């Protein structure tokens, strides 16, 4: 039989904003599906009722869509693989838990949290690994009734087969992985409140939804042998797992979720373009044959799980800014004008300055929309010259600015004619010609080409900025 089509998923908890680490996980799964002609599913693991919110769910879906990751099926879709909210799958989980208990592959455990903690401390003191000792594994019916009569609410534990030996799976990145089943200990698959444990629901949902490949962080690697045992006991297919190195700070320390620094929504609100974010994240732990800005389809075509890094992937803000510069350079003027936002729109509109002409003039100096604010003031408002610029302009002297004012009066905003006139009248050229003019007109020593800025600000505004430098220095 032919292999099933590749189906991947992203299964976040809607308990807050998406951050760099989990967005990258989503992107890798999306690229694998798209590059294989398969399906990408969005499943919300929303069983944490206290922290899961509808607003978080909507924001999460909106963030993924902004980046271009539209799932083939997800919440509110009628796809037969659903439902796609874990809270709506309780009946399916209960059915599979009952099957395990009926077959003897799982059993109720009445140990209290205090008893388990005491056991953990005793094992640690003896230098033994922290695993469950199996106290409730072989209780008879009478003993279970006695414990239940005490008011104990049992969890449900998976019974790891005593004769299993090793649990083996082939990791997409790391190759063959082997774990001694005896080292796992019997583990909880249903909590005392009746809700399924994460590793159980996560694995069962993948199998029932037809997920064939799962790329996730290496912090889930220890869950995988347990999930494989559960799926084997249920006769359900296991996906191909691949465990990716985690995202860290540039210095190798754990990724900090400082307010606004790692949230996808904050990156979007700051003005990062989706193409830049997607390209930067795709390269965060994957080796492509190119490093230039490309679209999602090109990223998907070049994506290979075996090229993913097993080691930590260091988040570098400079790399994101590099991708952002490429994205800004690739965007057309109309796109960038819309991107700049209402503050710049209003400032230039009041001055009657055409938006796309402004973008064409300053785009080489834009990385984020906030970078446009100062240039909007330069062409449409009042400037406060930087000290170095004021000093540079003042040093040019009265004769220079007399020539400059006369040049503007004669030639308006025709930059070539204005500068030629200044050069002839004041006897200057090169740096001595252009630098004082830039300093006086913009209040800065560096920036976009001066000719287009002069055209935007107009002759009247230019003259007003030149006039103060006529006084004796």
């Amino acid at each position: 039989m032919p292999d099933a089509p590749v189906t991947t998923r992203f299964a976040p908890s809607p308990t807050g904003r998406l951050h760099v680490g989990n967005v990258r996980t989503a992107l890798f799964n999306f690229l694998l599906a798209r590059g294989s002609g398969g399906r990408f599913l969005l499943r919300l693991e929303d069983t944490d009722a206290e922290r899961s919110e509808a607003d978080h769910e909507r924001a999460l879906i909106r963030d993924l869509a902004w980046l271009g990751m539209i799932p083939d099926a997800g919440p509110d879709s009628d796809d037969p693989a659903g439902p796609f909210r874990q809270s709506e799958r309780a009946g399916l989980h209960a059915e599979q838990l009952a099957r395990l208990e009926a077959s003897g592959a799982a059993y109720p455990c009445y140990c209290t949290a205090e008893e388990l903690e005491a056991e953990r401390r005793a094992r640690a003191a003896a230098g033994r690994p922290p695993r469950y000792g199996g106290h409730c594994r072989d209780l008879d019916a009478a003993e279970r009734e006695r414990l239940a009569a005490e008011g104990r609410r049992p969890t449900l534990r998976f019974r790891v087969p005593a004769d299993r030996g090793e649990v083996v799976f082939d990791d997409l990145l790391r190759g063959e992985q082997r774990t001694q089943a005896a080292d796992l200990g019997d583990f909880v698959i249903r909590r005392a409140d009746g809700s399924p444990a994460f590793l159980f629901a996560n694995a069962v949902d993948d199998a029932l939804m037809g997920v064939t490949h799962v790329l996730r962080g290496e912090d889930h690697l220890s869950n995988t042998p347990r999930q494989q045992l559960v799926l084997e006991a249920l006769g359900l297919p296991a996906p191909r797992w691949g465990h990716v190195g985690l995202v860290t700070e540039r210095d190798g320390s754990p990724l900090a979720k400082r307010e606004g620094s790692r949230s996808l929504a904050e990156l979007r609100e700051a003005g990062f373009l989706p193409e830049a974010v997607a390209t930067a994240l795709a390269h965060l732990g994957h080796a492509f044959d190119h490093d230039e800005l490309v679209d999602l389809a090109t990223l998907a075509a070049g994506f290979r799980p075996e090229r993913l890094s097993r080691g930590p992937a260091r988040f570098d803000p400079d790399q994101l800014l590099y991708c952002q510069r490429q994205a800004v350079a690739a965007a057309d003027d109309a796109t960038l004008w819309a991107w700049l936002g209402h503050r710049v729109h209003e400032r230039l509109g009041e001055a009657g300055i055409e938006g796309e002409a402004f973008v064409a003039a300053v785009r080489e100096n834009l990385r984020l929309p906030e970078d446009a604010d100062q240039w909007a003031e330069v062409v449409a408002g009042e400037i406060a010259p930087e000290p170095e610029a004021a000093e540079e302009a003042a040093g040019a002297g009265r004769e220079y600015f007399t020539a400059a004012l006369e040049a503007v009066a004669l030639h308006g905003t025709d930059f070539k004619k204005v500068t030629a006139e200044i050069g002839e009248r004041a006897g200057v050229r090169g740096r001595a010609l252009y630098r004082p003019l830039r300093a006086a007109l913009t209040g800065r020593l560096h920036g976009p080409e001066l000719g287009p800025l002069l055209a935007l600000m107009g002759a009247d505004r230019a003259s007003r900025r030149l006039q103060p430098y006529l006084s004796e220095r």
Side-chain angles (χ1 to χ4, degrees), residues 283-305:
H283 284 81
L284 195 57
H286 185 282
F288 287 91
D289 291 331
H290 50 76
D291 61 2
E292 69 274 11
L293 185 85
V294 295
D295 59 19
L296 285 176
T298 304
L299 288 172
F303 183 82
R304 301 289 183 274

Side-chain angles (χ1 to χ4, degrees), residues 277-416:
V277 176
T279 298
L281 293 185
H283 284 81
L284 195 57
H286 185 282
F288 287 91
D289 291 331
H290 50 76
D291 61 2
E292 69 274 11
L293 185 85
V294 295
D295 59 19
L296 285 176
T298 304
L299 288 172
F303 183 82
R304 301 289 183 274
E306 61 271 19
R307 290 188 170 190
L308 288 166
S309 172
R310 292 177 291 176
R314 300 191 177 191
F315 179 77
D316 185 355
D318 292 339
Q319 178 66 24
L320 177 58
L321 286 171
Y322 170 75
C323 293
Q324 175 74 355
R325 283 193 291 270
Q326 288 186 312
V328 171
D332 59 38
D333 290 346
T335 297
L336 291 185
W337 174 240
W339 166 71
L340 290 181
H342 70 276
R343 185 167 58 188
V344 170
H345 291 185
E346 291 175 359
R347 193 72 186 94
L348 298 182
E350 292 168 356
I353 294 174
E354 199 272 322
E356 292 186 29
F358 172 77
V359 170
V362 305
R363 62 183 299 142
E364 295 295 326
N365 290 78
L366 299 180
R367 293 185 305 179
L368 298 170
E370 65 183 26
D371 297 331
D373 291 350
Q374 62 173 313
W375 303 115
E377 284 302 310
V378 164
V379 302
E382 301 299 326
I383 61 171
E386 295 175 347
E388 296 84 355
E391 184 178 351
E392 176 75 26
R398 181 182 181 86
E399 181 181 355
Y400 176 94
F401 284 101
T402 299
L405 276 164
E406 291 173 352
V408 171
L410 283 171
H411 304 295
T413 60
D414 188 323
F415 185 68
K416 287 186 177 180

Side-chain angles (χ1 to χ4, degrees), residues 7-54:
T7 299
T8 69
R9 52 76 170 169
F10 179 47
S13 298
T15 55
R17 287 183 157 186
L18 287 176
H19 285 264
V20 166
N22 46 24
V23 174
R24 186 193 66 152
T25 297
L27 180 61
F28 285 164
N29 283 284
F30 177 85
L31 295 178
L32 177 57
R34 289 291 175 267
S36 307
R39 282 170 34 101
F40 172 69
L41 310 179
L42 175 62
R43 182 177 75 237
L44 299 178
E45 300 196 337
D46 61 345
T47 52
D48 186 345
E50 290 185 1
R51 299 178 60 212
S52 297
E53 297 180 9

Side-chain angles (χ1 to χ4, degrees), residues 93-394:
H93 300 149
E95 179 184 338
Q96 301 302 323
L97 288 165
R99 287 181 58 200
L100 291 176
E101 192 167 10
S103 69
Y107 60 89
C109 173
Y110 295 87
C111 296
T112 65
E114 294 75 17
E115 290 168 343
L116 293 172
E117 176 60 21
E119 179 185 46
R120 188 197 66 78
R121 288 197 301 267
R123 292 182 68 88
R128 302 167 68 189
R131 66 179 180 83
Y132 179 61
H135 304 295
C136 297
R137 183 180 176 103
D138 298 311
L139 295 179
D140 58 28
E143 184 64 11
R144 290 177 182 172
E145 289 180 8
R146 183 187 67 79
L147 293 170
E150 292 179 3
R152 299 191 183 208
R153 300 177 64 188
T155 61
L156 189 69
R157 287 186 182 271
F158 183 83
R159 189 189 302 273
V160 176
D163 58 353
R164 173 55 192 256
E166 291 183 321
V167 182
V168 182
F169 74 96
D170 185 27
D171 191 282
L172 289 166
L173 283 70
R174 302 163 187 269
E176 187 174 79
Q177 302 291 301
R178 294 178 172 271
T179 303
Q180 291 294 328
D183 292 338
L184 298 174
D186 295 347
F187 51 90
V188 173
I189 56 176
R190 186 182 66 207
R191 304 182 187 94
D193 64 4
S195 63
F198 160 79
L199 64 84
F200 173 84
N202 180 270
V204 166
D205 285 344
D206 283 343
L208 296 180
M209 297 171 83
V211 173
T212 63
H213 293 71
V214 173
L215 296 173
R216 58 186 183 180
E218 65 178 351
D219 51 331
H220 290 287
L221 190 57
S222 61
N223 289 327
T224 306
R226 296 174 172 85
Q227 292 182 311
Q228 181 155 316
L229 287 174
V230 167
L231 294 177
E232 287 177 1
L234 289 169
L236 295 175
R240 294 287 310 281
W241 286 288
H243 295 87
V244 186
L246 300 179
V247 180
T248 69
E249 295 288 352
R250 185 158 40 185
D251 62 4
S253 62
L255 186 67
K257 293 184 179 179
R258 296 185 298 272
E259 180 64 27
S261 66
R262 298 293 182 266
S263 161
L264 184 63
E266 290 288 344
L267 292 177
R268 184 184 71 244
E269 291 159 10
F272 283 94
L273 293 168
E275 300 89 344
V277 176
T279 298
L281 293 185
H283 284 81
L284 195 57
H286 185 282
F288 287 91
D289 291 331
H290 50 76
D291 61 2
E292 69 274 11
L293 185 85
V294 295
D295 59 19
L296 285 176
T298 304
L299 288 172
F303 183 82
R304 301 289 183 274
E306 61 271 19
R307 290 188 170 190
L308 288 166
S309 172
R310 292 177 291 176
R314 300 191 177 191
F315 179 77
D316 185 355
D318 292 339
Q319 178 66 24
L320 177 58
L321 286 171
Y322 170 75
C323 293
Q324 175 74 355
R325 283 193 291 270
Q326 288 186 312
V328 171
D332 59 38
D333 290 346
T335 297
L336 291 185
W337 174 240
W339 166 71
L340 290 181
H342 70 276
R343 185 167 58 188
V344 170
H345 291 185
E346 291 175 359
R347 193 72 186 94
L348 298 182
E350 292 168 356
I353 294 174
E354 199 272 322
E356 292 186 29
F358 172 77
V359 170
V362 305
R363 62 183 299 142
E364 295 295 326
N365 290 78
L366 299 180
R367 293 185 305 179
L368 298 170
E370 65 183 26
D371 297 331
D373 291 350
Q374 62 173 313
W375 303 115
E377 284 302 310
V378 164
V379 302
E382 301 299 326
I383 61 171
E386 295 175 347
E388 296 84 355
E391 184 178 351
E392 176 75 26

Side-chain angles (χ1 to χ4, degrees), residues 379 404-419 437 441 449-463 466:
V379 302
L405 276 164
E406 291 173 352
V408 171
L410 283 171
H411 304 295
T413 60
D414 188 323
F415 185 68
K416 287 186 177 180
K417 290 183 179 180
V418 166
T419 52
L437 188 61
L441 291 179
E449 290 187 17
L450 189 54
L453 293 183
L454 175 60
L456 291 172
M457 71 177 65
D460 288 345
R461 182 172 283 106
S463 295
L466 297 171

